[in-house]
PDB file of all heavy atoms in Angstrom:
ATOM      1  N   ASP A 590     106.089 112.635  96.292  1.00 80.00           N
ATOM      2  CA  ASP A 590     105.650 112.606  97.686  1.00 80.00           C
ATOM      3  C   ASP A 590     105.426 111.160  98.095  1.00 80.00           C
ATOM      4  O   ASP A 590     104.490 110.505  97.622  1.00 80.00           O
ATOM      5  CB  ASP A 590     104.371 113.419  97.841  1.00 80.00           C
ATOM      6  CG  ASP A 590     103.972 113.585  99.292  1.00 80.00           C
ATOM      7  OD1 ASP A 590     104.826 113.371 100.165  1.00 80.00           O
ATOM      8  OD2 ASP A 590     102.799 113.918  99.544  1.00 80.00           O
ATOM      9  N   VAL A 591     106.282 110.634  98.964  1.00 68.00           N
ATOM     10  CA  VAL A 591     106.205 109.241  99.397  1.00 68.00           C
ATOM     11  C   VAL A 591     105.437 109.159 100.704  1.00 68.00           C
ATOM     12  O   VAL A 591     105.678 109.932 101.635  1.00 68.00           O
ATOM     13  CB  VAL A 591     107.614 108.637  99.565  1.00 68.00           C
ATOM     14  CG1 VAL A 591     107.532 107.192 100.036  1.00 68.00           C
ATOM     15  CG2 VAL A 591     108.375 108.720  98.258  1.00 68.00           C
ATOM     16  N   ASP A 592     104.511 108.212 100.797  1.00 60.00           N
ATOM     17  CA  ASP A 592     103.717 108.004 102.007  1.00 60.00           C
ATOM     18  C   ASP A 592     104.630 107.516 103.126  1.00 60.00           C
ATOM     19  O   ASP A 592     105.223 106.435 103.030  1.00 60.00           O
ATOM     20  CB  ASP A 592     102.622 106.977 101.732  1.00 60.00           C
ATOM     21  CG  ASP A 592     101.731 106.742 102.950  1.00 60.00           C
ATOM     22  OD1 ASP A 592     101.904 107.466 103.955  1.00 60.00           O
ATOM     23  OD2 ASP A 592     100.879 105.843 102.877  1.00 60.00           O
ATOM     24  N   PRO A 593     104.775 108.296 104.232  1.00 54.00           N
ATOM     25  CA  PRO A 593     105.674 107.873 105.303  1.00 54.00           C
ATOM     26  C   PRO A 593     105.209 106.612 106.011  1.00 54.00           C
ATOM     27  O   PRO A 593     106.003 105.926 106.659  1.00 54.00           O
ATOM     28  CB  PRO A 593     105.678 109.078 106.256  1.00 54.00           C
ATOM     29  CG  PRO A 593     104.400 109.789 105.981  1.00 54.00           C
ATOM     30  CD  PRO A 593     104.118 109.582 104.511  1.00 54.00           C
ATOM     31  N   GLY A 594     103.921 106.274 105.891  1.00 53.00           N
ATOM     32  CA  GLY A 594     103.411 105.092 106.557  1.00 53.00           C
ATOM     33  C   GLY A 594     103.440 103.841 105.703  1.00 53.00           C
ATOM     34  O   GLY A 594     102.967 102.783 106.115  1.00 53.00           O
ATOM     35  N   ALA A 595     104.008 103.940 104.477  1.00 52.00           N
ATOM     36  CA  ALA A 595     104.039 102.787 103.587  1.00 52.00           C
ATOM     37  C   ALA A 595     105.008 101.728 104.102  1.00 52.00           C
ATOM     38  O   ALA A 595     105.985 102.029 104.802  1.00 52.00           O
ATOM     39  CB  ALA A 595     104.439 103.229 102.186  1.00 52.00           C
ATOM     40  N   ALA A 596     104.746 100.469 103.751  1.00 53.00           N
ATOM     41  CA  ALA A 596     105.634  99.375 104.113  1.00 53.00           C
ATOM     42  C   ALA A 596     106.990  99.584 103.456  1.00 53.00           C
ATOM     43  O   ALA A 596     107.086 100.237 102.412  1.00 53.00           O
ATOM     44  CB  ALA A 596     105.032  98.044 103.680  1.00 53.00           C
ATOM     45  N   PRO A 597     108.072  99.044 104.046  1.00 55.00           N
ATOM     46  CA  PRO A 597     109.416  99.266 103.489  1.00 55.00           C
ATOM     47  C   PRO A 597     109.533  98.895 102.016  1.00 55.00           C
ATOM     48  O   PRO A 597     110.130  99.637 101.233  1.00 55.00           O
ATOM     49  CB  PRO A 597     110.305  98.379 104.362  1.00 55.00           C
ATOM     50  CG  PRO A 597     109.571  98.280 105.664  1.00 55.00           C
ATOM     51  CD  PRO A 597     108.117  98.289 105.312  1.00 55.00           C
ATOM     52  N   ALA A 598     108.954  97.744 101.617  1.00 55.00           N
ATOM     53  CA  ALA A 598     109.057  97.330 100.214  1.00 55.00           C
ATOM     54  C   ALA A 598     108.323  98.313  99.308  1.00 55.00           C
ATOM     55  O   ALA A 598     108.820  98.704  98.247  1.00 55.00           O
ATOM     56  CB  ALA A 598     108.499  95.924 100.036  1.00 55.00           C
ATOM     57  N   ALA A 599     107.125  98.732  99.721  1.00 53.00           N
ATOM     58  CA  ALA A 599     106.357  99.683  98.925  1.00 53.00           C
ATOM     59  C   ALA A 599     107.055 101.039  98.872  1.00 53.00           C
ATOM     60  O   ALA A 599     107.086 101.704  97.841  1.00 53.00           O
ATOM     61  CB  ALA A 599     104.947  99.836  99.493  1.00 53.00           C
ATOM     62  N   ALA A 600     107.636 101.463  99.999  1.00 53.00           N
ATOM     63  CA  ALA A 600     108.334 102.742 100.021  1.00 53.00           C
ATOM     64  C   ALA A 600     109.546 102.716  99.102  1.00 53.00           C
ATOM     65  O   ALA A 600     109.838 103.688  98.408  1.00 53.00           O
ATOM     66  CB  ALA A 600     108.762 103.078 101.451  1.00 53.00           C
ATOM     67  N   ALA A 601     110.258 101.570  99.079  1.00 57.00           N
ATOM     68  CA  ALA A 601     111.420 101.458  98.191  1.00 57.00           C
ATOM     69  C   ALA A 601     111.005 101.537  96.733  1.00 57.00           C
ATOM     70  O   ALA A 601     111.675 102.154  95.910  1.00 57.00           O
ATOM     71  CB  ALA A 601     112.158 100.152  98.465  1.00 57.00           C
ATOM     72  N   ALA A 602     109.876 100.906  96.394  1.00 56.00           N
ATOM     73  CA  ALA A 602     109.386 100.958  95.014  1.00 56.00           C
ATOM     74  C   ALA A 602     108.965 102.369  94.640  1.00 56.00           C
ATOM     75  O   ALA A 602     109.171 102.816  93.507  1.00 56.00           O
ATOM     76  CB  ALA A 602     108.224  99.990  94.835  1.00 56.00           C
ATOM     77  N   GLU A 603     108.381 103.100  95.592  1.00 57.00           N
ATOM     78  CA  GLU A 603     107.920 104.455  95.306  1.00 57.00           C
ATOM     79  C   GLU A 603     109.066 105.418  95.053  1.00 57.00           C
ATOM     80  O   GLU A 603     108.909 106.436  94.387  1.00 57.00           O
ATOM     81  CB  GLU A 603     107.058 104.981  96.458  1.00 57.00           C
ATOM     82  CG  GLU A 603     105.664 104.362  96.511  1.00 57.00           C
ATOM     83  CD  GLU A 603     104.794 105.040  97.547  1.00 57.00           C
ATOM     84  OE1 GLU A 603     105.342 105.748  98.410  1.00 57.00           O
ATOM     85  OE2 GLU A 603     103.575 104.865  97.498  1.00 57.00           O
ATOM     86  N   THR A 604     110.243 105.146  95.614  1.00 58.00           N
ATOM     87  CA  THR A 604     111.362 106.069  95.458  1.00 58.00           C
ATOM     88  C   THR A 604     112.214 105.767  94.231  1.00 58.00           C
ATOM     89  O   THR A 604     113.209 106.450  93.991  1.00 58.00           O
ATOM     90  CB  THR A 604     112.260 106.011  96.709  1.00 58.00           C
ATOM     91  OG1 THR A 604     112.700 104.656  96.910  1.00 58.00           O
ATOM     92  CG2 THR A 604     111.504 106.483  97.936  1.00 58.00           C
ATOM     93  N   GLU A 605     111.843 104.756  93.439  1.00 69.00           N
ATOM     94  CA  GLU A 605     112.636 104.447  92.255  1.00 69.00           C
ATOM     95  C   GLU A 605     112.601 105.591  91.249  1.00 69.00           C
ATOM     96  O   GLU A 605     113.615 105.949  90.665  1.00 69.00           O
ATOM     97  CB  GLU A 605     112.131 103.152  91.617  1.00 69.00           C
ATOM     98  CG  GLU A 605     112.456 101.905  92.441  1.00 69.00           C
ATOM     99  CD  GLU A 605     111.967 100.647  91.769  1.00 69.00           C
ATOM    100  OE1 GLU A 605     111.346 100.764  90.687  1.00 69.00           O
ATOM    101  OE2 GLU A 605     112.183  99.555  92.309  1.00 69.00           O
ATOM    102  N   ASP A 606     111.430 106.138  91.004  1.00 73.00           N
ATOM    103  CA  ASP A 606     111.274 107.288  90.115  1.00 73.00           C
ATOM    104  C   ASP A 606     110.857 108.472  90.977  1.00 73.00           C
ATOM    105  O   ASP A 606     109.673 108.671  91.247  1.00 73.00           O
ATOM    106  CB  ASP A 606     110.235 107.011  89.026  1.00 73.00           C
ATOM    107  CG  ASP A 606     110.709 105.965  88.036  1.00 73.00           C
ATOM    108  OD1 ASP A 606     111.934 105.902  87.795  1.00 73.00           O
ATOM    109  OD2 ASP A 606     109.871 105.213  87.526  1.00 73.00           O
ATOM    110  N   ARG A 607     111.839 109.257  91.390  1.00 89.00           N
ATOM    111  CA  ARG A 607     111.573 110.250  92.427  1.00 89.00           C
ATOM    112  C   ARG A 607     111.319 111.649  91.903  1.00 89.00           C
ATOM    113  O   ARG A 607     110.708 112.458  92.583  1.00 89.00           O
ATOM    114  CB  ARG A 607     112.745 110.296  93.411  1.00 89.00           C
ATOM    115  CG  ARG A 607     112.960 109.012  94.174  1.00 89.00           C
ATOM    116  CD  ARG A 607     114.018 109.210  95.239  1.00 89.00           C
ATOM    117  NE  ARG A 607     115.297 109.644  94.667  1.00 89.00           N
ATOM    118  CZ  ARG A 607     116.305 110.120  95.386  1.00 89.00           C
ATOM    119  NH1 ARG A 607     116.165 110.264  96.676  1.00 89.00           N
ATOM    120  NH2 ARG A 607     117.445 110.463  94.796  1.00 89.00           N
ATOM    121  N   TRP A 608     111.799 111.993  90.708  1.00 94.00           N
ATOM    122  CA  TRP A 608     111.763 113.376  90.261  1.00 94.00           C
ATOM    123  C   TRP A 608     111.040 113.521  88.931  1.00 94.00           C
ATOM    124  O   TRP A 608     111.160 112.677  88.058  1.00 94.00           O
ATOM    125  CB  TRP A 608     113.185 113.922  90.115  1.00 94.00           C
ATOM    126  CG  TRP A 608     113.904 114.033  91.414  1.00 94.00           C
ATOM    127  CD1 TRP A 608     114.750 113.114  91.978  1.00 94.00           C
ATOM    128  CD2 TRP A 608     113.819 115.123  92.345  1.00 94.00           C
ATOM    129  NE1 TRP A 608     115.208 113.562  93.185  1.00 94.00           N
ATOM    130  CE2 TRP A 608     114.665 114.795  93.437  1.00 94.00           C
ATOM    131  CE3 TRP A 608     113.142 116.342  92.353  1.00 94.00           C
ATOM    132  CZ2 TRP A 608     114.823 115.648  94.522  1.00 94.00           C
ATOM    133  CZ3 TRP A 608     113.304 117.187  93.431  1.00 94.00           C
ATOM    134  CH2 TRP A 608     114.132 116.838  94.503  1.00 94.00           C
ATOM    135  N   LEU A 609     110.276 114.608  88.813  1.00 94.00           N
ATOM    136  CA  LEU A 609     109.547 114.918  87.586  1.00 94.00           C
ATOM    137  C   LEU A 609     109.837 116.369  87.221  1.00 94.00           C
ATOM    138  O   LEU A 609     109.834 117.246  88.082  1.00 94.00           O
ATOM    139  CB  LEU A 609     108.044 114.716  87.786  1.00 94.00           C
ATOM    140  CG  LEU A 609     107.172 114.783  86.537  1.00 94.00           C
ATOM    141  CD1 LEU A 609     107.441 113.572  85.648  1.00 94.00           C
ATOM    142  CD2 LEU A 609     105.692 114.822  86.918  1.00 94.00           C
ATOM    143  N   ARG A 610     110.055 116.601  85.940  1.00 96.00           N
ATOM    144  CA  ARG A 610     110.452 117.924  85.465  1.00 96.00           C
ATOM    145  C   ARG A 610     109.317 118.625  84.724  1.00 96.00           C
ATOM    146  O   ARG A 610     108.680 118.042  83.843  1.00 96.00           O
ATOM    147  CB  ARG A 610     111.656 117.792  84.535  1.00 96.00           C
ATOM    148  CG  ARG A 610     112.209 119.092  83.980  1.00 96.00           C
ATOM    149  CD  ARG A 610     113.464 118.784  83.176  1.00 96.00           C
ATOM    150  NE  ARG A 610     114.078 119.959  82.614  1.00 96.00           N
ATOM    151  CZ  ARG A 610     113.816 120.447  81.413  1.00 96.00           C
ATOM    152  NH1 ARG A 610     112.914 119.849  80.648  1.00 96.00           N
ATOM    153  NH2 ARG A 610     114.431 121.514  80.964  1.00 96.00           N
ATOM    154  N   TYR A 611     109.083 119.898  85.091  1.00 96.00           N
ATOM    155  CA  TYR A 611     108.095 120.750  84.430  1.00 96.00           C
ATOM    156  C   TYR A 611     108.829 121.879  83.708  1.00 96.00           C
ATOM    157  O   TYR A 611     109.683 122.537  84.292  1.00 96.00           O
ATOM    158  CB  TYR A 611     107.122 121.360  85.447  1.00 96.00           C
ATOM    159  CG  TYR A 611     106.197 120.375  86.116  1.00 96.00           C
ATOM    160  CD1 TYR A 611     106.621 119.630  87.210  1.00 96.00           C
ATOM    161  CD2 TYR A 611     104.893 120.191  85.659  1.00 96.00           C
ATOM    162  CE1 TYR A 611     105.768 118.736  87.829  1.00 96.00           C
ATOM    163  CE2 TYR A 611     104.031 119.296  86.282  1.00 96.00           C
ATOM    164  CZ  TYR A 611     104.483 118.577  87.364  1.00 96.00           C
ATOM    165  OH  TYR A 611     103.644 117.688  87.993  1.00 96.00           O
ATOM    166  N   SER A 612     108.472 122.086  82.439  1.00 97.00           N
ATOM    167  CA  SER A 612     109.016 123.194  81.669  1.00 97.00           C
ATOM    168  C   SER A 612     107.866 123.803  80.877  1.00 97.00           C
ATOM    169  O   SER A 612     107.559 123.379  79.763  1.00 97.00           O
ATOM    170  CB  SER A 612     110.125 122.713  80.732  1.00 97.00           C
ATOM    171  OG  SER A 612     110.639 123.780  79.958  1.00 97.00           O
ATOM    172  N   ASP A 613     107.184 124.776  81.488  1.00 96.00           N
ATOM    173  CA  ASP A 613     105.987 125.368  80.892  1.00 96.00           C
ATOM    174  C   ASP A 613     104.970 124.274  80.560  1.00 96.00           C
ATOM    175  O   ASP A 613     104.565 123.529  81.436  1.00 96.00           O
ATOM    176  CB  ASP A 613     106.359 126.200  79.665  1.00 96.00           C
ATOM    177  CG  ASP A 613     107.115 127.466  80.031  1.00 96.00           C
ATOM    178  OD1 ASP A 613     106.856 128.010  81.113  1.00 96.00           O
ATOM    179  OD2 ASP A 613     107.961 127.915  79.242  1.00 96.00           O
ATOM    180  N   SER A 614     104.585 124.141  79.295  1.00 94.00           N
ATOM    181  CA  SER A 614     103.555 123.171  78.928  1.00 94.00           C
ATOM    182  C   SER A 614     104.084 121.748  78.857  1.00 94.00           C
ATOM    183  O   SER A 614     103.307 120.811  78.701  1.00 94.00           O
ATOM    184  CB  SER A 614     102.930 123.557  77.583  1.00 94.00           C
ATOM    185  OG  SER A 614     103.934 123.644  76.590  1.00 94.00           O
ATOM    186  N   SER A 615     105.385 121.570  78.960  1.00 94.00           N
ATOM    187  CA  SER A 615     105.985 120.247  78.852  1.00 94.00           C
ATOM    188  C   SER A 615     106.154 119.617  80.231  1.00 94.00           C
ATOM    189  O   SER A 615     106.696 120.245  81.142  1.00 94.00           O
ATOM    190  CB  SER A 615     107.354 120.349  78.160  1.00 94.00           C
ATOM    191  OG  SER A 615     107.976 119.098  78.098  1.00 94.00           O
ATOM    192  N   VAL A 616     105.674 118.385  80.370  1.00 93.00           N
ATOM    193  CA  VAL A 616     105.824 117.620  81.607  1.00 93.00           C
ATOM    194  C   VAL A 616     106.618 116.366  81.278  1.00 93.00           C
ATOM    195  O   VAL A 616     106.209 115.569  80.428  1.00 93.00           O
ATOM    196  CB  VAL A 616     104.459 117.237  82.225  1.00 93.00           C
ATOM    197  CG1 VAL A 616     104.650 116.467  83.528  1.00 93.00           C
ATOM    198  CG2 VAL A 616     103.621 118.485  82.457  1.00 93.00           C
ATOM    199  N   GLY A 617     107.757 116.200  81.923  1.00 91.00           N
ATOM    200  CA  GLY A 617     108.634 115.079  81.606  1.00 91.00           C
ATOM    201  C   GLY A 617     108.163 113.770  82.189  1.00 91.00           C
ATOM    202  O   GLY A 617     107.099 113.668  82.796  1.00 91.00           O
ATOM    203  N   ARG A 618     108.983 112.733  81.997  1.00 89.00           N
ATOM    204  CA  ARG A 618     108.725 111.438  82.590  1.00 89.00           C
ATOM    205  C   ARG A 618     109.550 111.307  83.858  1.00 89.00           C
ATOM    206  O   ARG A 618     110.596 111.944  84.006  1.00 89.00           O
ATOM    207  CB  ARG A 618     109.075 110.325  81.601  1.00 89.00           C
ATOM    208  CG  ARG A 618     108.203 110.362  80.345  1.00 89.00           C
ATOM    209  CD  ARG A 618     108.497 109.186  79.452  1.00 89.00           C
ATOM    210  NE  ARG A 618     108.123 107.927  80.060  1.00 89.00           N
ATOM    211  CZ  ARG A 618     106.879 107.437  80.038  1.00 89.00           C
ATOM    212  NH1 ARG A 618     105.900 108.117  79.463  1.00 89.00           N
ATOM    213  NH2 ARG A 618     106.611 106.286  80.606  1.00 89.00           N
ATOM    214  N   PRO A 619     109.119 110.490  84.827  1.00 90.00           N
ATOM    215  CA  PRO A 619     109.841 110.374  86.095  1.00 90.00           C
ATOM    216  C   PRO A 619     111.281 109.912  85.898  1.00 90.00           C
ATOM    217  O   PRO A 619     111.576 109.104  85.017  1.00 90.00           O
ATOM    218  CB  PRO A 619     109.027 109.329  86.865  1.00 90.00           C
ATOM    219  CG  PRO A 619     107.672 109.364  86.255  1.00 90.00           C
ATOM    220  CD  PRO A 619     107.880 109.676  84.811  1.00 90.00           C
ATOM    221  N   ALA A 620     112.144 110.434  86.726  1.00 91.00           N
ATOM    222  CA  ALA A 620     113.562 110.071  86.698  1.00 91.00           C
ATOM    223  C   ALA A 620     113.990 109.644  88.089  1.00 91.00           C
ATOM    224  O   ALA A 620     113.516 110.187  89.102  1.00 91.00           O
ATOM    225  CB  ALA A 620     114.407 111.249  86.220  1.00 91.00           C
TER     226      ALA A 620
END
Side-chain angles (χ1 to χ4, degrees):
D590 188 17
V591 179
D592 182 6
E603 286 187 344
T604 57
E605 289 181 358
D606 291 328
R607 297 187 301 167
W608 294 94
L609 190 69
R610 181 175 181 269
Y611 292 83
S612 179
D613 290 328
S614 57
S615 177
V616 181
R618 297 185 66 83

